[in-house]
Amino acid sequence: MALRTVESKKRTLHTQNKQIRRTSISNTTSPGESSGVSDGQMPKTSGRLFIPEDKQGNQPSKDGEIKSGKRLASGKVLHTAARSGMDAVNNHVEGGEELKESEEILMALGAAGKRVFQTRKQRQMNRAGVSNESGTSSGGTRRSASRSGGTTTAGDNAKEKQLKNKKDSKKKLREKQRANSKRRRYRRNLRRRRKRYEDDDKEESTPIGIKERLIHGLRVRDSEEDSADNLGSVTKGAKGLKRVIKIILFLIKKLITLLMTPFIIVIVVIVILVALIVGIFMMIIYCSPLSIFFPLPDTGTDDIRMVLSSYYQEFNQKVAEYEADGMKVTYQNTQDGVVTVNFKDTLMVYMTLYSDGQPGYIMDENGKANLRKVFNEMNYIERASSEHEVKVGESLGKVYVTAYCPCKECSGPHGHATASGKKAKEGRTVAVDAYNPIVPMGTKVVIDGHVYTVEDTGDLHHYGNEFDIFYEKHEDTGKWGRKKVEVFVADKDGKIKKPDKDDDDGTDRGEPDVSGTSNTADDGETVTVKSDGIIVHNLTYKDYIDAHPELNDDQKKMIQMLMEEQTSIYGGGSDIGQNVVNLGMTKIGCHYSQARRFDEGYYDCSSFVLRMYREFGLELPGTAAEQGRYCATQGMIINKEDLRPGDLIFYSYEKNDRYKNISHVAMYAGDGKMIHAANPRRGVVMDPLRTGSVVFYGRPYVG
């Protein structure tokens, strides 16, 4: 329905022969002002509630009487009549219930406003009465003073009048300013109300007055009912169109969500299951011996391969010390005369025993102790004496030699007597150990270029000596002292074969023209030589299994399966070796020269290896024998089946008194090929891999 506002529709309330007209409050009257009006007009009031008047426009006084002497109906009768009229209106107007509620609020606030207005009016009347009494009193005083004394002059009256007029003008000015201020505030509030009603979309805007709130509520209700009855009318406006679009988008979103939810749930479940499976699989892998073949996580501890390499380094250095003392070193396991390296065997045995359900690659104190235990069980040294045949004229090697004389300090009560029954003679007699002689009695030997005959014995091994030379004077024995010299077996004429060895100039003679051969002693009689040596036990995984029957079948199968895996388990970079080979390929065809081994275009075998690796930041010793020693003592020896490009092959073609008699080195190029500086006739060449006369294979960057 189209609701008419209160301003446009006047209502008349009928009470006991009196008609009281309700109309809108005059906007031009400021609060608190009132004036007389003609018949049919509303008086000016200060509130939103009206005050009943009689037909002459008179207002009731404070005690309820009308100025003309007539009494109005009581407020209760008026309230009852207004209530009845509003109830009738509410029953015939749409939204009557809301109107009724608003009317109740209106009446309550009207009563409160009436009381406030009456209180304010009474205060104004009280102030006006006090002012009149004061003026009257002062005037009477002045008149009394005039009558009594007659002292007030016309000039004084003029001054008082002037002051009074000045005060009145100031008072009027203040009242005018107050009125103007009230009018400005009223107009400003009116503009704010109108502005709020202009935008119906702002649901949170609240009208200030009770009447405006009621009208606004009815308009909104009427608009919502029309929208519910006719959707088409809503879409005609921009607001309706936006609302319809929002509803459609919301429905589409809900529909897509409902359709996609099953697929999303399935995908999430699959991802979670895959992640769980992968996580469980990786957990199983990294808590098993197979973890050694995968990239190991950062555990904050040393890499297990580096720790094992350090154990081999210590072990090989100890073996080298025995060799330096002249002891013969024999290895338990060799392959084609080459020492077998059991690095992988030791590592796989450890992983099998200590990686069952736990990460055995963690090298904390407990892990290192367990790895050391397995290493000691598979790598240990045993002292032993051995016998071997040496041809007459060949070297016995470097041994320790001392000297003695016939004095009691050196020979005790024996003096010149010897074990052979002959009298000891300076320059001829030499003694060997009585319990483990290095050569038989009567053997001729050459020591420091002089020929001696073994005629006496003594307790030499107790002091770590092999031979003891006889001197007549004790002071001569002091001059000799204890020396480590090379000893040769001489023939019956006291002659020996000239030693065949490289000059000790830091170079290598390279391979012989006929590969795998060397100068050997002439055929003839041999001498059985007993030597004190060591046996190096380098157990393979098969040896370990045989020595430990307590291993179960699963452990044995696991060790065998791990050993059959072809993946490399050595540490170190994987590209450096191939890069060295690629550089070495560019040197094929260069000349062989020991004198110019560091000139561009000239190499010998050891300088070729040294200069190729130097280009990639790795510095190696200068000779083949020392390069071999470096690899051996640093735990860098590998097996033939583990060869990769860049690995080194060390050969021994002759006895040269260097480390393990190494006289040549070559570089493995892959595919069964090797690159090396062969000899002065061939220069730098590529040849098929040669396995004859190999001492061992090394990888100089392992660890």
Side-chain angles (χ1 to χ4, degrees):
M1 60 170 283
L3 180 65
R4 297 177 60 189
T5 62
V6 177
E7 288 82 354
S8 61
K9 180 180 179 180
K10 298 181 179 180
R11 298 175 185 172
T12 303
L13 299 181
H14 300 273
T15 61
Q16 297 178 358
N17 300 325
K18 291 183 176 60
Q19 294 182 354
I20 301 174
R21 177 169 295 173
R22 299 178 64 185
T23 183
S24 60
I25 299 172
S26 175
N27 293 335
T28 60
T29 304
S30 60
E33 295 180 355
S34 63
S35 63
V37 294
S38 61
D39 188 14
Q41 291 181 342
M42 286 292 293
K44 297 180 180 179
T45 62
S46 61
R48 291 189 176 278
L49 297 178
F50 61 87
I51 301 175
E53 300 174 349
D54 61 355
K55 293 182 179 180
Q56 286 76 22
N58 296 324
Q59 294 180 346
S61 62
K62 182 178 181 182
D63 56 359
E65 295 181 355
I66 303 177
K67 294 180 180 180
S68 61
K70 297 182 179 181
R71 186 180 297 275
L72 290 173
S74 67
K76 183 176 182 181
V77 174
L78 178 61
H79 179 75
T80 303
R83 172 70 66 181
S84 301
M86 290 302 297
D87 291 341
V89 172
N90 293 339
N91 294 331
H92 294 85
V93 178
E94 293 183 3
E97 295 180 358
E98 290 80 355
L99 187 61
K100 184 177 180 180
E101 294 177 359
S102 301
E103 183 265 339
E104 291 177 355
I105 297 172
L106 179 65
M107 296 299 293
L109 294 177
K114 180 179 179 181
R115 287 193 297 272
V116 172
F117 172 75
Q118 289 177 350
T119 302
R120 188 178 296 173
K121 189 70 176 178
Q122 183 64 38
R123 290 176 180 175
Q124 291 178 356
M125 292 174 64
N126 293 338
R127 285 196 296 269
V130 172
S131 177
N132 291 334
E133 291 176 1
S134 174
T136 304
S137 176
S138 62
T141 303
R142 287 194 298 271
R143 287 193 298 270
S144 175
S146 178
R147 287 194 300 267
S148 62
T151 58
T152 302
T153 62
D156 293 335
N157 292 333
K159 288 182 180 180
E160 290 179 1
K161 187 176 182 179
Q162 185 178 3
L163 291 173
K164 184 178 181 181
N165 292 335
K166 188 175 181 180
K167 291 180 180 179
D168 292 341
S169 62
K170 289 182 178 180
K171 183 177 181 181
K172 290 180 180 180
L173 180 61
R174 285 195 297 271
E175 291 177 353
K176 185 176 181 180
Q177 289 176 349
R178 292 194 193 99
N180 292 335
S181 177
K182 290 180 180 180
R183 281 194 294 270
R184 285 195 297 271
R185 286 197 299 271
Y186 175 78
R187 291 171 183 172
R188 184 166 58 252
N189 293 334
L190 182 62
R191 286 195 299 270
R192 290 177 180 174
R193 293 193 200 104
R194 289 175 180 174
K195 186 175 181 181
R196 291 184 181 181
Y197 285 119
E198 289 177 357
D199 190 2
D200 293 335
D201 295 335
K202 297 180 179 179
E203 297 179 358
E204 295 181 357
S205 62
T206 304
I208 296 177
I210 300 298
K211 180 179 65 178
E212 288 83 352
R213 184 184 297 113
L214 175 63
I215 295 171
H216 179 69
L218 292 176
R219 286 179 179 176
V220 172
R221 177 182 177 87
D222 185 62
S223 175
E224 291 177 350
E225 291 177 354
D226 291 343
S227 299
D229 294 337
N230 188 4
L231 182 61
S233 62
V234 177
T235 58
K236 291 180 182 180
K239 178 182 177 182
L241 182 60
K242 289 181 180 179
R243 187 173 182 181
V244 170
I245 293 174
K246 289 181 179 179
I247 293 172
I248 293 173
L249 293 176
F250 177 78
L251 293 176
I252 293 174
K253 181 179 178 180
K254 286 292 185 183
L255 181 61
I256 293 174
T257 303
L258 291 175
L259 293 176
M260 293 299 295
T261 299
F263 296 99
I264 295 174
I265 294 175
V266 171
I267 292 173
V268 171
V269 170
I270 292 174
V271 171
I272 293 175
L273 289 177
V274 171
L276 287 175
I277 293 172
V278 173
I280 294 173
F281 177 76
M282 295 306 295
M283 185 179 298
I284 294 174
I285 288 295
Y286 279 97
C287 290
S288 71
L290 296 175
S291 61
I292 196 64
F293 299 112
F294 291 84
L296 298 180
D298 185 8
T299 61
T301 60
D302 296 332
D303 187 277
I304 183 173
R305 292 173 288 248
M306 301 301 102
V307 175
L308 185 57
S309 259
S310 67
Y311 294 164
Y312 273 97
Q313 180 178 346
E314 296 174 4
F315 184 79
N316 292 335
Q317 287 176 349
K318 187 181 296 184
V319 173
E321 291 175 1
Y322 282 117
E323 289 181 310
D325 289 338
M327 292 186 179
K328 182 176 179 60
V329 178
T330 305
Y331 286 88
Q332 177 179 340
N333 290 294
T334 59
Q335 182 180 4
D336 298 330
V338 181
V339 177
T340 300
V341 179
N342 63 349
F343 186 96
K344 185 175 181 180
D345 304 70
T346 304
L347 186 58
M348 294 304 107
V349 169
Y350 168 80
M351 293 299 294
T352 301
L353 297 180
Y354 295 97
S355 293
D356 188 8
Q358 59 184 351
Y361 51 82
I362 298 178
M363 287 290 99
D364 53 10
E365 295 300 324
N366 188 45
K368 290 181 179 180
N370 293 331
L371 183 59
R372 171 69 78 174
K373 178 182 177 182
V374 174
F375 176 83
N376 292 338
E377 291 176 349
M378 299 186 67
N379 299 271
Y380 58 94
I381 299 172
E382 199 172 62
R383 296 279 304 259
S385 296
S386 61
E387 294 183 358
H388 61 282
E389 300 294 328
V390 176
K391 292 182 179 181
V392 173
E394 291 186 350
S395 172
L396 297 177
K398 289 185 177 182
V399 296
Y400 285 102
V401 180
T402 56
Y404 75 104
C405 69
C407 70
K408 292 183 179 181
E409 182 180 352
C410 295
S411 301
H414 301 291
H416 287 79
T418 64
S420 63
K422 296 182 180 180
K423 184 180 179 181
K425 184 179 180 180
E426 183 177 344
R428 186 192 69 187
T429 303
V430 65
V432 294
D433 186 74
Y435 307 99
N436 190 21
I438 186 171
V439 292
M441 192 73 69
T443 303
K444 293 185 179 295
V445 295
V446 177
I447 301 175
D448 199 21
H450 190 82
V451 179
Y452 295 92
T453 302
V454 178
E455 297 178 339
D456 202 0
T457 60
D459 188 11
L460 303 185
H461 279 183
H462 178 73
Y463 302 99
N465 301 326
E466 299 295 339
F467 293 97
D468 203 9
I469 302 174
F470 180 81
Y471 283 94
E472 288 289 345
K473 297 179 180 180
H474 188 75
E475 57 267 21
D476 292 334
T477 61
K479 293 179 181 179
W480 175 266
R482 185 173 185 265
K483 295 181 181 179
K484 187 175 185 180
V485 296
E486 188 172 12
V487 178
F488 297 87
V489 178
D491 59 12
K492 59 183 179 179
D493 297 327
K495 296 181 179 180
I496 61 173
K497 185 175 179 291
K498 182 179 179 181
D500 185 11
K501 60 181 180 179
D502 290 340
D503 295 331
D504 193 10
D505 57 357
T507 61
D508 299 299
R509 296 181 62 183
E511 67 168 6
D513 288 342
V514 180
S515 178
T517 64
S518 63
N519 296 326
T520 59
D522 297 334
D523 294 336
E525 59 180 299
T526 60
V527 176
T528 301
V529 178
K530 293 181 179 181
S531 60
D532 188 18
I534 60 172
I535 298 176
V536 178
H537 296 276
N538 51 340
L539 276 62
T540 64
Y541 75 96
K542 294 180 180 179
D543 298 330
Y544 186 86
I545 292 174
D546 294 339
H548 293 78
E550 69 275 8
L551 297 176
N552 57 46
D553 293 338
D554 291 338
Q555 290 175 327
K556 294 177 182 178
K557 290 179 181 179
M558 177 59 71
I559 294 174
Q560 185 174 359
M561 183 186 71
L562 295 176
M563 290 300 301
E564 292 174 354
E565 177 62 43
Q566 297 301 317
T567 304
S568 176
I569 46 82
Y570 290 97
S574 59
D575 297 331
I576 182 173
Q578 186 62 57
N579 293 335
V580 170
V581 169
N582 294 339
L583 179 61
M585 297 281 285
T586 65
K587 309 302 179 183
I588 294 178
C590 291
H591 303 287
Y592 182 99
S593 174
Q594 294 180 5
R596 304 180 62 183
R597 59 198 303 257
F598 287 107
D599 292 344
E600 185 61 34
Y602 294 88
Y603 301 91
D604 65 359
C605 65
S606 57
S607 66
F608 175 77
V609 171
L610 182 153
R611 291 166 66 179
M612 295 303 102
Y613 268 101
R614 179 181 288 173
E615 292 294 327
F616 296 93
L618 182 60
E619 192 69 27
L620 296 177
T623 64
E626 291 304 312
Q627 290 170 359
R629 186 195 300 272
Y630 172 80
C631 291
T633 56
Q634 297 299 318
M636 299 175 177
I637 299 177
I638 61 174
N639 292 321
K640 177 184 176 182
E641 57 267 22
D642 295 320
L643 279 174
R644 284 163 43 181
D647 294 343
L648 304 180
I649 309 107
F650 296 94
Y651 297 91
S652 176
Y653 296 124
E654 59 189 6
K655 188 174 180 63
N656 58 11
D657 296 331
R658 294 182 180 176
Y659 181 75
K660 293 186 179 297
N661 293 316
I662 293 174
S663 58
H664 188 65
V665 61
M667 182 187 298
Y668 184 66
D671 298 328
K673 304 287 185 179
M674 68 179 189
I675 306 172
H676 62 137
N679 51 45
R681 181 174 60 85
R682 302 179 63 210
V684 179
V685 295
M686 176 180 285
D687 286 332
L689 177 63
R690 299 175 183 175
T691 58
S693 303
V694 173
V695 180
F696 54 75
Y697 307 93
R699 183 173 298 160
Y701 55 87
V702 172

